[in-house]
Amino acid sequence: MSRGILSHPLNILFTCVGRRVVLLEAFRHAMEELGVKGKILATDVTQAAPAMHVADDRFIVPRAGNVTYMPCLEKIIRQNKVNLLIPLTDLDLRSLARHRERMAKELGCTVM
């Protein structure tokens, strides 16, 4: 294993993970190959989503567009020290785009 390229853990939160098992596994593999410490976290509206079961931690969230969606994501980001948020559907892009700068400044989380 190579030497880590980051001095701090990289916790990545994927939203609306659904069936994207291979994608989460690819990120985990890349982190291991690069020696990056951190966690793969996932959200969805149901625990039955297959990709929820390959994440290190998983969270049931309200549907994107629900007034409680963003506060719920922000709570997860704070409690888990999430550095990077990767949306996997266009369902939450509008909300995340509106809050992107504030999330970076106040929460230290980059929204892709």
Side-chain angles (χ1 to χ4, degrees):
M1 181 191 273
S2 64
R3 196 172 46 136
I5 61 173
L6 293 176
S7 61
H8 59 341
L10 175 63
N11 295 326
I12 306 172
L13 176 62
F14 293 88
T15 62
C16 305
V17 292
R19 295 180 282 170
R20 292 166 188 86
V21 172
V22 173
L23 179 65
L24 271 63
E25 288 176 340
F27 268 82
R28 181 183 315 282
H29 178 74
M31 289 172 71
E32 289 171 359
E33 284 288 313
L34 294 170
V36 174
K37 303 283 186 211
K39 290 184 177 183
I40 301 290
L41 303 108
T43 69
D44 209 297
V45 296
T46 176
Q47 188 68 31
M52 293 283 271
H53 302 282
V54 298
D56 295 313
D57 290 312
R58 59 207 57 81
F59 307 92
I60 303 298
V61 296
R63 292 195 181 281
N66 184 301
V67 297
T68 60
Y69 181 69
M70 287 306 299
C72 185
L73 281 184
E74 290 174 9
K75 181 178 179 183
I76 293 167
I77 290 166
R78 275 189 195 93
Q79 290 179 342
N80 295 277
K81 298 181 175 124
V82 173
N83 316 87
L84 178 62
L85 187 148
I86 302 175
L88 298 181
T89 69
D90 58 357
L91 299 173
D92 56 355
L93 287 179
R94 184 177 299 171
S95 295
L96 291 170
R98 277 195 310 265
H99 297 277
R100 182 179 182 177
E101 287 182 30
R102 187 181 59 74
M103 292 174 82
K105 185 177 181 180
E106 295 177 15
L107 304 174
C109 180
T110 300
V111 177
M112 283 186 70

